[in-house]
Amino acid sequence: MANFPSTFVNAVLEHSDLVRLIDSRVPLKKKGKDFWACCPFHQEKSPSFSVSADKQIYYCFGCHAHGNAIGFLMAHDRLSFPEAVTTLAEEAGIALPEDSPTGEQEDLRPLRAILEKAVALYQSMVAEHLPAQEYLRGRGLNADTIARFELGYAPPAARFLSQRLGNDASSRRQLLGAGLVSSRDDGSVYDRFRGRVIFPIRDGRGQMVGLGGRSLDGHEPKYLNSPESALYHKGRVLYGLHQAKEGVRRAGRVLLVEGYLDVITLHQVGVDYAVAASGTALGDSQLEMLFRAAAEVLLCFDGDNAGRNAARRAVQMAPEHLREGRLLRVLFMPDGEDPDSLVRQHGAAAFESLLPGARPAIDFFLEDLQHRHNLAAEDEKALFLHAARDFLKRVSDPILREVYEQRVQDLCGLAPVTRRAASRVVRKPSLNATQGPSLYKTALRLLLHHPEDPAWQTLDRDLLPFLFDSEPTVKNLAGALDILANMTHLSSHELFARLSASEHAEVCYALVMTDAGGIDDGASTQLEIAGCVARVNQRLAAARSHFISRAADQGGLSALSEQERAEMVRLSRRGRRKDV
């Protein structure tokens, strides 16, 4: 779990209230012992999204979304794992570990606070400076948009900010740490942003991390961002992501454009799922952030040579990010246009009419590669094949990779790629097939509700793999038991916290949330668990005995080890006991 200790993550979950967390974003209604709402992750008319206050988990019976408080923040608020844990810890008043993966330390709070003060001060300056008003008016921005993106103005005076916010040594250190001022050799400081329109930059959690500034007087550089600092890491920030969250969720896609004003103008006309890289070319971390925000990512570039070179760099790093279910497309603007200019001159409809023309990223790569090689020449065809195959080897989705490998063969006039058919696995009927699945599902249900019962320690976990092929539920039971074996504090709450990151989470969550009545505590439940474990052990003994007997039938008793012969006798005796 990133670099957070598991004990810390468990403590954060223990102190989190999932019902309150979700209800603050999606209004819940209580029905029976659980809470219900229409799912925030897919469109539906009747509620199928269920939240358990007891287990601190959620499950959607429609789209099968599931998780705990951390998972919900990651899916709904589009946060990374460290960001979600940090958010919950701050809400619960739990101090972060000193070696937390976010690098969040106590001394960052004053830096954030002074950034917020600076932004408020810069915002107030717009009304006092005509050049800033004329610039924003000339870009077609209305008052609501200016307020939403917190746009401000830094006057040209060298010490405007430092004189107002740097009254003592501690404040000046904070201004330096936040990247708001720079220092001279004599120890004096001067404002970093002067004569510029200010674009505040917030991270995915909405916390202030830095500023961007555009020069109004022609002073170079034209655009200036905060320096790298404890708060601002330009390679891990997407401008506008905080404002775009609702738009991204509604549209089911996220649009990356090249400039801050492109983002702002698009949001103003309703294309509110646009974001931009922050002070750097698109990098791996930012591309992964885009895919965390939405499964479909559109990369929008200017149509000039610089835009096409930027597209090549972005697509070159794409293959490892192209996992199953993800779409990455590339869109080029008409010559001489960018999203801001196009929307201001022709309106939102003109921009949105371009979106269907976005090309799959791998199509763009292959077409661009093909333009640089003459496929009629055999030696250049070989170079093309080398480059294309090297690129496709890195594609994470095997089906997508196979589709494009065939495309490359076709482009080069080569024979189709032959695939060895997957061998068909014929599963034999399970022992006691009419009763087995319900027995193992019952065992899993009881385990999820009562992991603390000592009877689970007597279940023959080592024999469970003998039923994996015939009884799929047994894999989930084995996974839960493996997690349980490594837990020091045996509780249903902690078991679900551990399950959330496992492949068995969906099945387990669905089983518990379907069990509307729950399971009563008491002596009757203990007897039920003990009886269930005894029956599971009998089935496991029979399965192991059957496996050894079949090995003996195929290779004779001599094919069995002495231990296996003794085990066959022992298991056969156990199997003759009456099935309860």
Side-chain angles (χ1 to χ4, degrees):
M1 293 185 178
N3 291 324
F4 283 121
S6 60
T7 52
F8 175 76
V9 175
N10 291 337
V12 168
L13 288 172
E14 192 72 36
H15 288 82
S16 299
D17 183 347
L18 182 63
V19 173
R20 182 196 58 77
L21 177 73
I22 295 180
D23 189 53
S24 67
R25 293 159 171 80
V26 184
L28 297 171
K29 290 185 178 180
K30 191 168 185 181
K31 179 182 174 183
K33 67 182 179 66
D34 295 326
F35 295 81
W36 294 79
C38 286
C39 182
F41 303 118
H42 80 286
Q43 298 294 321
E44 61 179 6
K45 295 182 179 180
S46 57
S48 65
F49 182 79
S50 179
V51 184
S52 170
D54 177 31
K55 298 292 187 290
Q56 289 290 294
I57 60 174
Y58 66 88
Y59 181 80
C60 177
F61 290 91
C63 69
H64 309 296
H66 59 277
N68 54 22
I70 296 172
F72 182 81
L73 283 178
M74 292 174 67
H76 187 274
D77 289 13
R78 310 296 184 182
L79 303 184
S80 66
F81 177 81
E83 289 172 336
V85 174
T86 300
T87 298
L88 291 173
E90 289 175 348
E91 290 183 358
I94 300 175
L96 292 167
E98 291 186 1
D99 58 347
S100 70
T102 59
E104 188 85 22
Q105 304 292 337
E106 288 297 318
D107 62 352
L108 295 192
R109 295 182 184 180
L111 300 186
R112 293 192 192 284
I114 205 158
L115 260 177
E116 294 282 3
K117 290 179 182 178
V119 166
L121 190 56
Y122 287 144
Q123 283 182 285
S124 70
M125 290 296 101
V126 173
E128 299 183 20
H129 289 79
L130 186 59
Q133 298 170 31
E134 291 177 341
Y135 176 81
L136 295 174
R137 193 182 306 120
R139 303 309 294 245
L141 302 181
N142 60 39
D144 288 342
T145 299
I146 292 171
R148 185 183 181 205
F149 284 89
E150 306 172 279
L151 303 183
Y153 178 68
R159 299 196 62 204
F160 165 77
L161 193 67
S162 53
Q163 285 181 337
R164 286 160 177 77
L165 299 182
N167 297 324
D168 52 57
S170 175
S171 297
R172 287 191 289 275
R173 283 196 299 270
Q174 291 168 15
L175 288 170
L176 280 165
L180 292 168
V181 301
S182 300
S183 61
R184 298 186 177 93
D185 293 339
D186 61 4
S188 62
V189 297
Y190 59 95
D191 292 5
R192 179 177 178 82
F193 298 94
R194 305 184 302 278
R196 295 177 180 272
V197 169
I198 297 298
F199 301 86
I201 303 169
R202 294 186 180 272
D203 63 16
R205 293 185 291 158
Q207 300 209 53
M208 195 72 70
V209 295
L211 304 177
R214 187 194 188 280
S215 173
L216 294 187
D217 58 6
H219 184 75
E220 292 294 335
K222 184 177 181 181
Y223 289 97
L224 180 68
N225 283 303
S226 293
E228 290 280 324
S229 69
L231 285 180
Y232 181 64
H233 305 280
K234 60 185 179 182
R236 300 206 298 264
V237 177
L238 289 171
Y239 178 76
L241 181 60
H242 176 62
Q243 292 91 339
K245 282 183 178 178
E246 288 303 319
V248 168
R249 187 176 299 111
R250 186 186 63 257
R253 59 167 53 157
V254 60
L255 171 70
L256 182 92
V257 292
E258 294 191 72
Y260 295 168
L261 280 164
D262 292 328
V263 172
I264 295 170
T265 303
L266 287 171
H267 276 248
Q268 180 169 279
V269 298
V271 186
D272 56 354
Y273 49 89
V275 300
S278 180
T280 182
L282 182 68
D284 274 301
S285 295
Q286 293 164 317
L287 185 55
E288 189 58 33
M289 288 173 66
L290 290 167
F291 275 120
R292 277 207 314 270
E296 181 181 355
V297 175
L298 297 178
L299 305 180
C300 180
F301 299 98
D302 294 346
D304 56 14
N305 288 334
R308 292 195 169 270
N309 288 333
R312 290 187 187 101
R313 289 192 297 269
V315 171
Q316 277 289 348
M317 66 183 172
E320 289 81 3
H321 299 273
L322 292 177
R323 299 195 285 273
E324 182 180 354
R326 290 181 169 185
L327 299 175
L328 180 65
R329 301 182 185 279
V330 177
L331 174 69
F332 290 103
M333 299 300 297
D335 287 344
E337 298 279 12
D338 57 31
D340 173 47
S341 64
L342 183 70
V343 166
R344 285 192 287 117
Q345 293 179 32
H346 305 290
F351 177 80
E352 292 189 300
S353 69
L354 300 175
L355 299 183
R359 300 283 292 153
I362 302 182
D363 282 6
F364 167 73
F365 172 82
L366 292 177
E367 290 167 6
D368 184 64
L369 186 65
Q370 188 177 358
H371 288 153
R372 289 183 278 126
H373 294 86
N374 177 15
L375 299 190
E378 299 302 318
D379 54 350
E380 291 202 45
K381 182 187 294 186
L383 293 174
F384 171 84
L385 276 171
H386 277 299
R389 286 173 175 172
D390 286 345
F391 180 86
L392 294 176
K393 283 177 186 176
R394 296 162 47 214
V395 174
S396 296
D397 182 354
I399 302 299
L400 184 66
R401 182 170 61 249
E402 182 178 344
V403 167
Y404 278 100
E405 284 174 347
Q406 187 60 64
R407 167 83 67 82
V408 169
Q409 296 292 108
D410 293 341
L411 285 172
C412 294
L414 302 178
V417 178
T418 57
R419 305 282 174 185
R420 186 175 64 183
S423 58
R424 185 179 178 185
V425 178
V426 180
R427 292 182 176 174
K428 295 187 176 182
S430 62
L431 301 173
N432 298 313
T434 59
Q435 299 177 11
S438 61
L439 171 62
Y440 305 123
K441 186 174 288 187
T442 297
L444 180 58
R445 181 173 61 92
L446 288 166
L447 174 67
L448 295 173
H449 281 287
H450 295 285
E452 75 284 351
D453 195 287
W456 301 115
Q457 307 303 316
T458 66
L459 195 147
D460 288 338
R461 289 171 49 216
D462 293 341
L463 298 184
L464 288 171
F466 289 99
L467 290 176
F468 280 1
D469 287 339
S470 59
E471 305 292 356
T473 305
V474 176
K475 283 188 177 181
N476 300 308
L477 177 62
L481 285 167
D482 287 343
I483 292 173
L484 189 65
N486 294 314
M487 286 170 48
T488 55
H489 178 58
L490 302 180
S491 70
S492 185
H493 184 279
E494 184 173 342
L495 177 58
F496 274 99
R498 302 284 187 93
L499 274 168
S500 66
S502 79
E503 61 181 303
H504 311 287
E506 181 181 340
V507 170
C508 294
Y509 282 30
L511 182 60
V512 168
M513 300 303 279
T514 304
D515 182 26
I519 297 180
D520 295 330
D521 295 326
S524 60
T525 299
Q526 291 178 338
L527 289 173
E528 184 180 5
I529 293 173
C532 183
V533 170
R535 290 194 297 275
V536 170
N537 280 338
Q538 284 185 327
R539 302 280 174 80
L540 293 174
R544 173 61 173 165
S545 180
H546 178 72
F547 175 83
I548 295 176
S549 297
R550 187 172 59 185
D553 290 342
Q554 293 174 350
L557 287 175
S558 60
L560 303 180
S561 66
E562 183 177 344
Q563 181 181 356
E564 286 175 329
R565 288 196 292 271
E567 186 179 0
M568 184 172 68
V569 173
R570 179 175 58 83
L571 291 173
S572 62
R573 287 174 179 170
R574 183 191 296 184
R576 287 196 294 269
R577 296 173 186 170
K578 184 177 179 181
D579 193 357
V580 290

